[in-house]
Amino acid sequence: MQPNKIITLTTDFGQAGGYAGAVKGVLLRINPQIKIVDITHEISPFNVLEGSLLLNSFYQFFPKGTIHLTVVDPGVGGKRKGVLIRTDDYFFVGPDNGIFSFIYDQEKVREMINITNLEYFLGKPSSTFHARDIFAPVSAYLSLGVKLGEFGFPTQDCYKFKLHAPVYRKDYLMGEIIYIDRFGNLVTNISSDLIRKSKRVQIRIKNKKVNHLSQYYEEEKEGKLLILIGSSNFLEIAVNQGSAQKLLKAKIGDKVKIEKI
Amino acid sequence: MQPNKIITLTTDFGQAGGYAGAVKGVLLRINPQIKIVDITHEISPFNVLEGSLLLNSFYQFFPKGTIHLTVVDPGVGGKRKGVLIRTDDYFFVGPDNGIFSFIYDQEKVREMINITNLEYFLGKPSSTFHARDIFAPVSAYLSLGVKLGEFGFPTQDCYKFKLHAPVYRKDYLMGEIIYIDRFGNLVTNISSDLIRKSKRVQIRIKNKKVNHLSQYYEEEKEGKLLILIGSSNFLEIAVNQGSAQKLLKAKIGDKVKIEKI
Amino acid sequence: MQPNKIITLTTDFGQAGGYAGAVKGVLLRINPQIKIVDITHEISPFNVLEGSLLLNSFYQFFPKGTIHLTVVDPGVGGKRKGVLIRTDDYFFVGPDNGIFSFIYDQEKVREMINITNLEYFLGKPSSTFHARDIFAPVSAYLSLGVKLGEFGFPTQDCYKFKLHAPVYRKDYLMGEIIYIDRFGNLVTNISSDLIRKSKRVQIRIKNKKVNHLSQYYEEEKEGKLLILIGSSNFLEIAVNQGSAQKLLKAKIGDKVKIEKI
């Protein structure tokens, strides 16, 4: 697999500042042929878990050879390593702090490099902005065809979150909300496979019950709570033309109980 | 007219999530030559009318052959059609829910296709994310030169909002606020033509009167209410270096009365 | 130096509207080869100083020949000039209202043009949206190789902010906060040179004292106040995994006292 000149950017830098701009400048100065694709710069500050979930929602749609530059980095300048990962189809560059947890779970990691070679850094790197000083130049040189081994030494040790899996009980399955999108849809950690095994289900969240699995939002009346399999193949709790988050005053981590009926 | 590889994106997906990222991935996987241009992902959730007004403010500045991918889609997965429209200069792809109301009004529609051909979808489409599963792949294949007729069958039936036009009375004209921009400028539905017919006008909004048509914001003192013809050729109510929205506590739909003096 | 087809966009137009979209359309209509790089559209409305500081944080990372289109323009349509500046490495296009203050300070201005030639405007320009009608077309024609002298006449007179420099007293140095980033880090006007002259320093802000210069955020415990040299080489007040802005209830302009110890 060769890099394809596409580099996606996923960070918690915020839209309002110049940090993402500096990263883009560094990328284009090293390789003006790069096609930069903004994913988001609005991950909640320091929220590595949110970043890892978000990465998981889009990376697999990109063409083979895409470089996913992903930086939520509260430990910048400290002990955490910087890593460069090659899977069958993609490259990932960023801090080794759990942000690639889903990638380690779902993809075969073919090569993982602990980034150490100063030769590919932007001068003497600052200790507060490795996205600009290390991860961007490494991504850009990678896109120019520099071999992975050039950037540092192979490593197999990496940091993974223990992701909450749904818990099986005798009569029910206990899941939880792992992500809330802009529309107030509540994405759970319950995959469509788990749901489809049982023909009929009932979910309970915050004293509300829903026992019909909808196909699409408009199937229910405006303002009505519903459940469906969302676009990432997880059970999702939603409100037609409204916000399930507001209706239920829900937050990440809230429990969702699934019972057979 | 041939597609020119430029695809603009206008959605209500929000900056903070991965939805726009997934759409971009699909576009580039099918055609890596596409030049993606973010317009906005911050249309108010489900607000199709706002999306249609926003589309109207920029589409005509793009080069001939641009594809405008426009998705505010509360009815996704339900009965609303997906459409592909060709006008003299542009292509438009999105749900047929009124989002193209201004396009139908202002452009000659040369071809309109009800998108039905599964062959150009991303696998089996989800029922909640047609932007990723249908509209993005159709736009990408269109940019590769696939003929419009391939995507479905011709249709002429389409959904249009009844847009509020200003109302003529004996002594005055009654318009309303249709859009409020980031600066708090109040854009009305009163076109510059209507204003210029009468040499001198006075407007009334919320018990305030303004009777001088300014040429630019700084013509008035800082903080002072003023009216001018805005950049979209509609009468606009503004405050020099301030927000007319805040000063007047104005909202969309508020009436604006224009009297000859 | 030739333009390199990269044009960066820095504005206060907001993500949510169509203004940036219209600018992008005009750029691509004149030169479809342009590579547009969004820096931000979220500068606080009318805040020219914030725009000038932000420009200063990223422009120098871009490749030689980049055009930096920078528009925060409360005086649009009034007396302020529009300018086109050439330095050794870059071009800058925007209003002459102080937004290029740091550029004038830090770069050698090789050529400065007062933009007046209607031939390169978008039709008859509006008096409220020169980014779309003047600055975008001028930038696009510049990227096509039109010579600077074609756009107007040379000028040397330009508007600069008087930027606050730190004040020296007998026993201390008094600086101030000039920028607060998304993470709540407080960026001061005290450069790393000033700090490094004295081996040991103590800073005071709002009755808090810090006397250890950290190398990176994680050096201190979570939630602890710290000082370090930030990525722009200015003294920065921060909190590990927290917000110094919130902790100190700090705002731009707050004084920061540096004492030798």
Side-chain angles (χ1 to χ4, degrees):
Chain A
M1 174 184 57
Q2 292 300 312
N4 65 12
K5 312 282 186 220
I6 296 171
I7 298 187
T8 72
L9 293 187
T10 307
T11 79
D12 67 343
F13 297 160
Q15 295 292 333
Y19 295 133
V23 166
K24 293 175 187 185
V26 172
L27 289 171
L28 291 170
R29 186 146 67 171
I30 295 170
N31 182 1
Q33 302 308 315
I34 287 170
K35 188 176 280 210
I36 295 170
V37 180
D38 283 306
I39 303 300
T40 185
H41 301 290
E42 293 292 332
I43 291 169
S44 310
F46 316 128
N47 196 330
V48 181
L49 177 59
E50 185 186 321
S52 70
L53 284 160
L54 203 139
L55 175 62
N56 196 44
S57 74
F58 74 83
Y59 79 89
Q60 68 276 29
F61 296 104
F62 276 80
K64 198 167 179 157
T66 296
I67 299 169
H68 295 296
L69 177 48
T70 316
V71 186
V72 179
D73 197 8
V76 61
K79 288 174 219 159
R80 67 104 190 94
K81 294 179 293 186
V83 289
L84 165 49
I85 298 162
R86 178 171 64 83
T87 63
D88 284 331
D89 289 342
Y90 303 111
F91 302 93
F92 298 86
V93 180
D96 178 34
N97 60 7
I99 200 153
F100 299 123
S101 293
F102 281 97
I103 306 304
Y104 297 134
D105 267 10
Q106 295 176 11
E107 303 284 324
K108 285 204 174 129
V109 171
R110 299 301 183 180
E111 207 171 348
M112 181 154 58
I113 301 291
N114 183 352
I115 300 170
T116 55
N117 190 348
L118 296 161
E119 202 179 317
Y120 296 106
F121 293 1
L122 183 76
K124 183 177 177 310
S126 74
S127 52
T128 58
F129 196 6
H130 285 188
R132 179 192 69 190
D133 300 341
I134 299 180
F135 301 130
V138 164
S139 301
Y141 285 114
L142 178 63
S143 78
L144 283 172
V146 173
K147 296 293 165 223
L148 272 75
E150 291 287 307
F151 295 106
F153 52 87
T155 180
Q156 281 175 342
D157 180 35
C158 69
Y159 187 87
K160 282 181 228 183
F161 291 124
K162 286 203 181 105
L163 298 167
H164 292 221
V167 178
Y168 288 86
R169 301 288 182 205
K170 198 179 163 194
D171 298 326
Y172 62 89
L173 181 68
M174 186 66 93
E176 62 179 58
I177 297 171
I178 56 170
Y179 186 74
I180 301 177
D181 75 10
R182 187 196 192 204
F183 304 98
N185 297 322
L186 312 173
V187 182
T188 72
N189 61 345
I190 301 155
S191 73
S192 60
D193 296 345
L194 291 178
I195 291 294
R196 281 174 180 143
K197 271 184 201 158
S198 43
K199 272 193 191 146
R200 296 190 57 195
V201 295
Q202 167 170 290
I203 76 110
R204 273 177 202 266
I205 175 169
K206 299 210 157 197
N207 297 322
K208 297 266 180 185
K209 283 191 278 188
V210 186
N211 54 30
H212 170 69
L213 187 67
S214 297
Q215 296 301 311
Y216 55 94
Y217 303 116
E218 255 195 355
E219 201 174 311
E220 298 298 327
K221 285 189 191 146
E222 210 171 308
K224 185 105 188 284
L225 196 70
L226 60 95
I227 56 172
L228 44 61
I229 304 300
S231 56
S232 297
N233 268 318
F234 286 100
L235 182 75
E236 196 177 300
I237 299 151
V239 166
N240 180 23
Q241 303 218 26
S243 162
Q245 178 182 27
K246 279 189 194 157
L247 187 75
L248 298 173
K249 297 193 178 63
K251 56 184 192 310
I252 286 173
D254 281 351
K255 298 300 178 199
V256 180
K257 192 172 181 178
I258 291 93
E259 303 160 313
K260 293 190 189 179
I261 49 172
Chain B
M1 174 184 58
Q2 291 301 313
N4 63 14
K5 312 283 186 219
I6 297 171
I7 298 188
T8 73
L9 293 187
T10 307
T11 79
D12 65 345
F13 297 160
Q15 294 292 332
Y19 295 134
V23 165
K24 292 175 187 185
V26 171
L27 289 171
L28 291 169
R29 185 145 70 171
I30 295 170
N31 183 0
Q33 303 308 316
I34 287 171
K35 189 175 280 212
I36 294 171
V37 180
D38 283 306
I39 303 298
T40 186
H41 302 290
E42 293 292 332
I43 291 170
S44 309
F46 316 127
N47 196 331
V48 182
L49 177 59
E50 186 186 320
S52 70
L53 284 160
L54 202 139
L55 175 62
N56 195 45
S57 74
F58 74 83
Y59 79 89
Q60 67 277 28
F61 296 105
F62 275 80
K64 196 165 181 160
T66 296
I67 299 170
H68 295 295
L69 177 49
T70 315
V71 185
V72 180
D73 197 10
V76 60
K79 288 175 217 157
R80 66 105 190 93
K81 295 179 293 186
V83 289
L84 166 48
I85 298 162
R86 178 171 63 83
T87 63
D88 284 329
D89 289 343
Y90 303 111
F91 302 94
F92 299 86
V93 181
D96 178 34
N97 60 8
I99 201 153
F100 300 123
S101 294
F102 280 97
I103 306 305
Y104 297 134
D105 267 10
Q106 294 175 13
E107 301 285 323
K108 285 202 175 134
V109 172
R110 298 303 182 179
E111 209 170 346
M112 181 155 57
I113 301 291
N114 183 353
I115 300 171
T116 56
N117 191 347
L118 295 161
E119 202 180 316
Y120 296 106
F121 293 1
L122 183 75
K124 183 177 176 308
S126 73
S127 52
T128 58
F129 197 7
H130 285 188
R132 179 192 71 189
D133 301 341
I134 299 180
F135 301 131
V138 163
S139 300
Y141 285 114
L142 178 63
S143 79
L144 284 172
V146 173
K147 296 294 165 221
L148 273 75
E150 291 288 306
F151 296 106
F153 51 86
T155 180
Q156 282 177 340
D157 181 33
C158 69
Y159 187 87
K160 281 181 228 183
F161 290 123
K162 285 203 181 108
L163 299 165
H164 292 221
V167 178
Y168 288 86
R169 301 289 182 205
K170 197 178 165 194
D171 297 326
Y172 63 90
L173 182 67
M174 186 66 93
E176 64 179 56
I177 297 171
I178 55 170
Y179 186 74
I180 300 178
D181 74 12
R182 187 194 193 207
F183 304 97
N185 297 321
L186 312 173
V187 181
T188 71
N189 61 345
I190 301 155
S191 73
S192 59
D193 296 345
L194 291 179
I195 292 293
R196 282 176 179 142
K197 270 183 202 160
S198 43
K199 273 194 191 148
R200 298 190 56 196
V201 296
Q202 167 170 289
I203 76 109
R204 273 176 201 267
I205 176 169
K206 298 209 156 196
N207 297 322
K208 297 266 180 184
K209 284 190 277 187
V210 185
N211 54 31
H212 170 68
L213 187 67
S214 296
Q215 297 300 311
Y216 56 94
Y217 302 117
E218 256 195 352
E219 201 174 311
E220 298 298 328
K221 286 189 191 146
E222 209 171 308
K224 184 105 188 282
L225 196 69
L226 61 94
I227 56 171
L228 45 61
I229 303 301
S231 57
S232 297
N233 269 318
F234 287 99
L235 182 75
E236 196 177 300
I237 299 151
V239 165
N240 180 24
Q241 303 219 26
S243 162
Q245 178 182 26
K246 279 188 193 155
L247 186 75
L248 299 174
K249 298 191 176 64
K251 56 184 194 309
I252 287 173
D254 281 352
K255 298 300 177 197
V256 180
K257 192 172 179 179
I258 291 94
E259 302 160 313
K260 295 191 189 180
I261 50 172
Chain C
M1 176 184 57
Q2 291 300 313
N4 64 12
K5 312 284 186 217
I6 296 171
I7 298 187
T8 73
L9 294 187
T10 307
T11 79
D12 66 345
F13 297 160
Q15 295 292 332
Y19 295 135
V23 166
K24 293 174 187 186
V26 171
L27 288 171
L28 292 169
R29 185 145 69 171
I30 295 170
N31 182 1
Q33 302 308 315
I34 287 170
K35 189 175 279 211
I36 294 171
V37 180
D38 283 307
I39 303 300
T40 185
H41 302 290
E42 293 293 330
I43 291 169
S44 309
F46 317 128
N47 195 330
V48 181
L49 178 58
E50 185 186 321
S52 71
L53 283 160
L54 203 139
L55 175 63
N56 195 45
S57 73
F58 74 84
Y59 79 90
Q60 68 276 29
F61 296 104
F62 276 81
K64 197 166 178 156
T66 296
I67 299 169
H68 294 297
L69 177 49
T70 315
V71 185
V72 180
D73 197 8
V76 59
K79 287 175 220 159
R80 67 105 191 92
K81 293 179 293 185
V83 288
L84 165 49
I85 297 162
R86 178 170 64 83
T87 63
D88 284 330
D89 289 342
Y90 303 110
F91 301 94
F92 298 87
V93 180
D96 178 34
N97 60 8
I99 200 153
F100 300 123
S101 293
F102 280 95
I103 305 305
Y104 298 134
D105 266 10
Q106 295 176 12
E107 302 284 323
K108 285 204 174 131
V109 171
R110 298 303 182 179
E111 208 171 346
M112 182 155 55
I113 301 291
N114 182 353
I115 300 170
T116 54
N117 190 348
L118 296 161
E119 204 181 315
Y120 296 106
F121 294 1
L122 183 75
K124 184 178 177 306
S126 74
S127 52
T128 59
F129 196 6
H130 285 188
R132 180 191 69 189
D133 301 341
I134 299 180
F135 301 131
V138 163
S139 300
Y141 284 114
L142 178 62
S143 78
L144 284 172
V146 173
K147 295 294 164 221
L148 273 74
E150 290 288 305
F151 295 106
F153 51 87
T155 178
Q156 283 177 340
D157 179 34
C158 68
Y159 188 88
K160 283 181 228 182
F161 290 124
K162 285 205 181 105
L163 299 165
H164 292 220
V167 178
Y168 288 87
R169 300 289 182 206
K170 196 180 165 194
D171 298 326
Y172 62 90
L173 182 67
M174 186 66 93
E176 63 178 57
I177 297 171
I178 55 170
Y179 186 74
I180 302 177
D181 74 12
R182 188 195 191 206
F183 304 97
N185 297 322
L186 311 173
V187 182
T188 72
N189 60 345
I190 301 155
S191 73
S192 59
D193 297 345
L194 291 178
I195 292 293
R196 282 174 181 144
K197 271 184 203 160
S198 43
K199 273 191 191 149
R200 298 190 56 197
V201 296
Q202 166 171 290
I203 77 109
R204 274 177 201 265
I205 176 169
K206 297 210 157 196
N207 297 322
K208 297 264 181 187
K209 283 192 277 189
V210 185
N211 54 30
H212 171 68
L213 186 67
S214 297
Q215 296 301 311
Y216 55 95
Y217 302 117
E218 256 194 353
E219 202 174 310
E220 298 298 328
K221 287 190 191 144
E222 210 171 306
K224 184 105 187 284
L225 197 67
L226 59 94
I227 56 172
L228 44 61
I229 303 300
S231 57
S232 297
N233 270 318
F234 287 98
L235 182 75
E236 196 176 299
I237 299 150
V239 166
N240 180 22
Q241 304 220 26
S243 163
Q245 178 181 27
K246 278 188 194 157
L247 187 75
L248 298 173
K249 296 192 177 65
K251 57 184 194 308
I252 287 174
D254 280 353
K255 297 300 177 200
V256 180
K257 192 172 179 177
I258 290 95
E259 301 160 315
K260 294 189 189 180
I261 50 173

